[in-house]
Amino acid sequence: MSTYFDALETRSRDEREAAQLEGLNAQLARHGLDALETLADLKSLPVLRKADLVARQKEAPPFGGLPVSNLAHVFQSPGPIYEPGGVSHDWWRVGRFLHACGIGVGDVVQNCFGYHLTPAGMIFENGARAVGAAVLPAGTGQTELQVRAAKDVGATAYAGTLDYLKVILEKADEMGLELQIARAAVGGGALFPSLRAWYEERGILCLQCYATADLGNVAYESSAKEGMILDEGVILEIVTPGTGDPVAEGEVGEIVVTTLNPDYPLIRFATGDLSAILPGESPCGRTNTRIKGWMGRADQTTKIKGMFVRPEQVAELVARHAEIDRARVVASREGEMDVMTVRIETGAEAVPGVEDSVAGVLKMKGRVELVAPGGLPRDGLVIEDQRTYD
């Protein structure tokens, strides 16, 4: 097996950015939008959130009027949100991830992602086809039958959620059967080091990807296991939650993705997940940008004094005052009462009218604290809930 899936993985930064700009402008043309001069201009376009997509799909079912082409499948995710699916080579780009896992011709992949309505099962089956591997479409549940099938067909690789392989292996131990699974391609959450170590003790290489039903594969691990490498078919931004404003490299923020898949051209789709850009390149030789992986959810909506406070409101507060660099709402308790403190990062000695803005935008009064530039953590939080409910 070759080291890389294709030559795209080792392109120079200039080559990649030029190709991405060309692909981006082709996507914009599909939406009837004007071309951009640079990738940095992408931040001028609006962010598309899942709530927006749900509303658009209700008005114009099933795909909200987006220019979908080459439709082969229709899937349903919670919301509900309907996603298109294709059958062309590596349509969701998971083949690149499976190749990085060492899965290819001669392997039998026990695909334990769901096939019912949601696209995960088909996503990984399409990827397995792209690398020439056979698939046992196992789906979820019926663990004893899964063990028997894995033994009988000689499954050599697993695709599924992080911990279900452990369930299968422990059931195989109970049944006195030895399985041949040596590689695991997992997704659906953060892979804890202890679980990875458990698999490795049994001789199984376990790598994870970050993929969504809407976007397909966004980033993936290689054998270097140092961050997650961006897929070649997406443009990724990390923005302040509740906005479309990119954060500085290394800061935690919300993942916003533009896909270069011409069949489903999503522009600046907000995933609701948090991550951060890692500096440098992967030791494996792949040259694309890396992210730290999944670091939590960006939807930090919190109820304080019976009222919901949302990241979008915090962004609006910041936008109202030129003196404010960033803000953070902190929810705490004093006795049996909720307390809201708004911490404002600014170089000014005062921010005139900010108390009125807090009451007007956040719909309640709160304490205001000014902190010096750099005084707020760069952890992606704009709403911090310090309350305990023990």
Side-chain angles (χ1 to χ4, degrees):
M1 180 182 289
S2 61
T3 303
Y4 305 113
F5 185 67
D6 57 28
L8 300 181
E9 294 182 355
T10 55
R11 290 181 289 181
S12 69
R13 178 180 293 271
D14 289 344
E15 289 175 316
R16 182 174 288 109
E17 289 184 353
Q20 287 181 336
L21 181 59
E22 181 179 354
L24 170 62
N25 284 331
Q27 297 292 65
L28 294 176
R30 293 182 178 96
H31 285 272
L33 300 174
D34 294 334
L36 299 178
E37 293 186 5
T38 70
L39 290 177
D41 295 332
L42 187 57
K43 66 184 179 183
S44 66
L45 300 178
V47 168
L48 176 65
R49 300 192 175 277
K50 288 196 175 186
D52 301 328
L53 195 54
V54 170
R56 289 183 59 161
Q57 290 187 356
K58 286 181 179 178
E59 293 179 3
F63 303 122
L66 295 177
V68 172
S69 58
N70 297 315
L71 180 67
H73 297 101
V74 180
F75 301 99
Q76 184 196 71
S77 293
I81 293 177
Y82 294 95
E83 299 102 2
V87 292
S88 60
H89 176 79
D90 209 21
W91 197 86
W92 284 280
R93 305 176 311 283
V94 169
R96 188 178 302 283
F97 167 49
L98 297 183
H99 184 89
C101 292
I103 298 171
V105 176
D107 280 306
V108 177
V109 180
Q110 184 149 345
N111 185 7
C112 295
F113 281 109
Y115 280 82
H116 179 64
L117 284 179
T118 57
M122 198 66 70
I123 287 173
F124 277 78
E125 180 163 320
N126 183 262
R129 189 177 299 117
V131 297
V135 174
L136 173 64
T140 59
Q142 297 183 300
T143 304
E144 190 168 319
L145 290 177
Q146 295 240 18
V147 171
R148 175 56 63 185
K151 176 65 175 178
D152 291 345
V153 307
T156 58
Y158 165 88
T161 53
L162 312 165
D163 53 2
Y164 187 52
L165 175 57
K166 185 173 186 288
V167 175
I168 290 174
L169 294 172
E170 289 175 337
K171 177 60 71 173
D173 291 343
E174 290 178 17
M175 297 169 64
L177 297 177
E178 184 175 349
L179 304 184
Q180 300 178 43
I181 295 172
R183 294 177 178 84
V186 303
L191 176 60
F192 292 101
S194 58
L195 183 57
R196 193 202 300 267
W198 192 91
Y199 290 138
E200 290 179 347
E201 288 172 2
R202 299 185 66 124
I204 298 172
L205 173 67
C206 182
L207 300 179
Q208 61 184 322
C209 73
Y210 171 60
T212 76
D214 315 273
L215 300 163
N217 191 31
V218 174
Y220 62 98
E221 284 187 315
S222 70
S223 57
K225 292 181 281 192
E226 293 191 15
M228 303 182 78
I229 304 160
L230 295 189
D231 182 77
E232 299 296 330
V234 299
I235 300 170
L236 180 140
E237 303 167 87
I238 304 290
V239 306
T240 302
T243 77
D245 302 328
V247 302
E249 184 172 307
E251 289 187 18
V252 179
E254 183 178 9
I255 298 171
V256 170
V257 177
T258 297
T259 173
L260 301 180
N261 179 356
D263 293 342
Y264 191 34
L266 288 174
I267 308 296
R268 300 202 84 197
F269 185 74
T271 65
D273 294 321
L274 295 175
S275 192
I277 299 293
L278 285 172
E281 296 176 357
S282 172
C284 71
R286 293 172 175 85
T287 56
N288 208 344
T289 301
R290 296 174 300 157
I291 59 175
K292 289 185 178 180
W294 187 81
M295 300 176 68
R297 291 291 294 170
D299 184 6
Q300 300 158 28
T301 298
T302 302
K303 185 177 283 188
I304 307 173
K305 300 180 183 178
M307 298 288 292
F308 282 110
V309 178
R310 307 179 190 279
E312 293 86 349
Q313 292 171 284
V314 182
E316 182 182 344
L317 175 66
V318 173
R320 284 198 179 192
H321 297 272
E323 302 94 336
I324 301 178
D325 297 326
R326 61 181 68 215
R328 185 181 188 116
V329 171
V330 179
S332 59
R333 301 269 298 174
E334 288 185 1
E336 299 301 319
M337 300 291 293
D338 283 347
V339 175
M340 182 180 75
T341 303
V342 183
R343 306 190 69 208
I344 290 174
E345 187 174 306
T346 179
E349 293 184 359
V351 181
V354 68
E355 288 86 0
D356 291 338
S357 293
V358 166
V361 174
L362 302 180
K363 310 303 180 186
M364 72 187 84
K365 293 182 179 180
R367 299 171 183 170
V368 174
E369 294 181 0
L370 303 186
V371 300
L376 293 181
R378 268 51 175 173
D379 55 6
L381 290 182
V382 293
I383 302 173
E384 178 185 0
D385 192 348
Q386 296 180 346
R387 296 168 294 185
T388 59
Y389 301 91
D390 297 337

